């Protein structure tokens, strides 16, 4: 069982599903919303239980971002045409049990850091 929450605890989530696709996103939207790289993994949406009120922001025509309106924690990313939901690895209670599988949107990464691991990189 994986459990997590926002910084203030108003939003909590849990899943018994095995998270997939642990990645670090370097896109401009994730950098602006998180202040840096956003690390996430995904599960089928039906397998994620969320308690509390998530505020959703449609950052594009293809996806929305879920966050806590009280503390501002960026917790979820959901593509409009997929049945999965991504959640922040940094919001997990305790060890994640995950290993990074890829970096995405590296063409948009900040110029203030280098990617220093061997995980595959996708533009």
């Amino acid at each position: 069982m994986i459990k997590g929450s926002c910084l203030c605890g108003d939003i909590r989530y849990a899943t018994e599903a095995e998270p997939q696709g642990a990645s670090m996103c370097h896109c401009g939207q994730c950098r602006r919303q998180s202040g840096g790289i956003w690390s996430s993994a995904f599960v089928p949406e039906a397998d994620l239980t969320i308690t509390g009120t998530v505020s959703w922001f449609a950052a594009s025509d293809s996806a929305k971002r879920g966050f806590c309106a009280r503390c501002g924690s960026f917790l979820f990313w959901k593509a409009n045409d997929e049945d999965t939901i991504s959640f922040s690895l940094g919001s997990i209670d305790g060890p994640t049990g995950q290993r990074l599988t890829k970096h995405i949107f590296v063409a948009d990464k900040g110029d203030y850091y280098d990617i220093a691991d061997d995980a595959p990189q996708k533009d």
Side-chain angles (χ1 to χ4, degrees), residues 40-112:
S40 67
F42 64 87
V43 295
E45 186 173 19
D47 292 338
L48 188 71
T49 302
I50 300 172
T51 57
T53 303
V54 177
S55 293
W56 291 97
F57 174 66
S60 71
D61 291 339
S62 61
K64 60 186 179 180
R65 296 161 175 274
F67 63 97
C68 176
R70 180 173 176 211
C71 68
S73 296
F74 170 27
L75 298 168
F76 308 109
W77 184 90
K78 172 79 177 101
N80 297 337
D81 62 351
E82 295 179 5
D83 64 354
T84 60
I85 187 168
S86 296
F87 57 90
S88 167
L89 292 176
S91 65
I92 293 175
D93 299 338
T96 68
Q98 298 296 299
R99 299 302 306 163
L100 185 64
T101 64
K102 63 187 170 189
H103 292 269
I104 57 175
F105 296 101
V106 296
D108 297 331
K109 81 172 206 52
D111 62 355
Y112 48 89

Side-chain angles (χ1 to χ4, degrees), residues 9-61:
D10 280 0
I11 299 172
R12 299 203 56 80
Y13 66 88
T15 186
E16 291 188 24
E18 181 64 32
Q20 304 294 310
S23 65
M24 294 182 138
C25 184
H26 302 266
C27 80
Q29 289 182 359
C30 282
R31 285 190 295 114
R32 283 182 183 85
Q33 189 164 22
S34 71
I37 302 164
W38 194 63
S39 303
S40 67
F42 64 87
V43 295
E45 186 173 19
D47 292 338
L48 188 71
T49 302
I50 300 172
T51 57
T53 303
V54 177
S55 293
W56 291 97
F57 174 66
S60 71
D61 291 339

